Every structure is written in structure tokens, then in C-alpha cells.
Amino acid sequence: MEFKVHHILKNTKVEGPDTRYCIWFQGCSKHCPGCWAKDTWDINKGIKYTTENIINDILNTKNIEGVTFLGGEPFEQFDALFEIAHAVHNNNLGTLCFTGKNYSEIKEKYSKILPYLDLLIDGGFEEKNKDFSRPWVGSSNQNYYFLSDRYKEEIIKEYKNKIEINIKKNGAIFINGMGDFNKLVKNLKIHTQVTCKK
Ligand code: SF4
């Protein structure tokens, strides 16, 4: 099945417990004020993948504890989300999904995925409730739902918010994780040093 992806990181340590394969789904119609991920909003942008290719890639990626789904809004491409979550769960990988929807709506309309998610974090980013004190989230309205025994609630105290900076071969910089991105970008100073390697 084809679906649209904004970005993939195969080994990130800042989007959930341990080291994770992370998929940013393209497309979100919620448009929360202050959203940092505006370039994930337009479903006409992004890159087409097939769920089969992504599942194979995940299962061939070494040293990951699980997979994180975020975006964008993963539930706006529900069939693809369900297929991937089901496959990776059945291969004993952990699953964490972020959504801008509320848990009550997920239970009402998308409940068939819940047995295949270990942790769900609901609620879009709310600028007026900005709070970086809890891991992986940026505002106090967001809630953690532990849907299996795989992750314990204590991880909320064990993990801190962190940011990763990835520099691609073409020089593009991709920042992920959670923190005050606006402040980071404003203060980012890049120093380069050229060395002679004789
Ligand atoms: S739900 Fe998430 S991705 Fe969508 S607009 Fe809100 S913060 Fe941005």
C-alpha cells in the first residue's frame, strides 16, 4: 500500500524509549498554532513509500528497540499506520504513536490499532501550554497512554527531552527530538574547520 512520508530516521534516541526507527507521516489537517512541523501539513508534498518496503526496512534495521510514528498526523493515513504497527508489533518491536487527536476519538474510530500500540501520546502541540519538562512532548495538554506492559510509566521520569541534529550528505540539517527549537535555531552557531589529511 502506498502512503506519504515526510522523513524517516532509522536510529534516533530522542523520539521515545531507547533507540528507534522513526517515521514522520506527511499530512496534518489540524494546523495547531505554533506547530514546529508545518512542512508536514500538506499531504500533496512528501515522499511516496509502500508499507511493504518500510516494513522490510524496519525488520532489517539492527539495534532498534521499536518504532515511533509521528508527523504530521499518522491517523490521517490510518490504513498504512495500521499495517506497519501490526507488522512490527508481531515482530516483537515496541510501538509508540503520537497523534494530535484525543484518545477518546482514537478509541471510538480507530480502536482496532490499539492492541498493536504499546504507547500512545495524544494531543497536538499547544503554544499556550508550552512545557518541555516531560520527555518527547512540548506542551502540558499531551497525555501518555500505556497500552501494554512493554513500557512502564516510570519512563516519564527516567527520560529527559533531548534534541538531535542530523546533517545530511547534501548539507541539509534535520533537527528532531523536543525542546525549544526556535531558541535553538536562533542561537545556532556553526563553526567549520578544514583539515589537511596528508
Ligand atoms: S497535530 Fe501535530 S503536526 Fe499537526 S498541526 Fe498539531 S502539532 Fe503540528
Side-chain angles (χ1 to χ4, degrees), residues 28 30-32 35 37 40-41 71-73 100 124-125:
C28 179
K30 193 164 180 187
H31 297 188
C32 305
C35 171
T40 66
W41 287 1
E73 175 52 70
F125 173 70

Side-chain angles (χ1 to χ4, degrees), residues 9-21:
L9 283 180
K10 295 188 183 192
N11 290 97
T12 175
K13 289 185 177 295
V14 299
E15 303 289 358
D18 212 320
T19 304
R20 311 188 72 79
Y21 191 107

Side-chain angles (χ1 to χ4, degrees), residues 83-96:
E83 196 176 315
I84 300 168
H86 180 264
V88 299
H89 175 89
N90 285 348
N91 281 277
N92 201 30
L93 289 166
T95 49
L96 159 56

Side-chain angles (χ1 to χ4, degrees), residues 29 54 59 63 155 175 178 191:
S29 56
I54 293 283
L59 299 183
N63 303 321
I155 60 171
I175 300 173
M178 184 50 71
H191 298 277

Side-chain angles (χ1 to χ4, degrees), residues 67-134:
V67 179
T68 297
F69 307 103
L70 71 175
E73 175 52 70
F75 282 86
E76 290 186 11
Q77 299 188 81
F78 181 67
D79 291 345
L81 174 65
F82 178 83
E83 196 176 315
I84 300 168
H86 180 264
V88 299
H89 175 89
N90 285 348
N91 281 277
N92 201 30
L93 289 166
T95 49
L96 159 56
C97 186
F98 289 83
T99 177
K101 299 178 184 295
N102 293 326
Y103 185 43
S104 55
E105 185 182 349
I106 301 296
K107 280 196 292 185
E108 191 186 327
K109 297 182 186 163
Y110 307 98
S111 62
K112 75 171 188 174
I113 200 173
L114 295 177
Y116 307 110
L117 295 180
D118 297 298
L119 175 57
L120 180 79
I121 299 180
D122 83 346
F125 173 70
E126 290 183 357
E127 180 88 58
K128 65 179 190 303
N129 291 317
K130 192 157 68 176
D131 174 10
F132 300 121
S133 65
R134 299 176 303 157

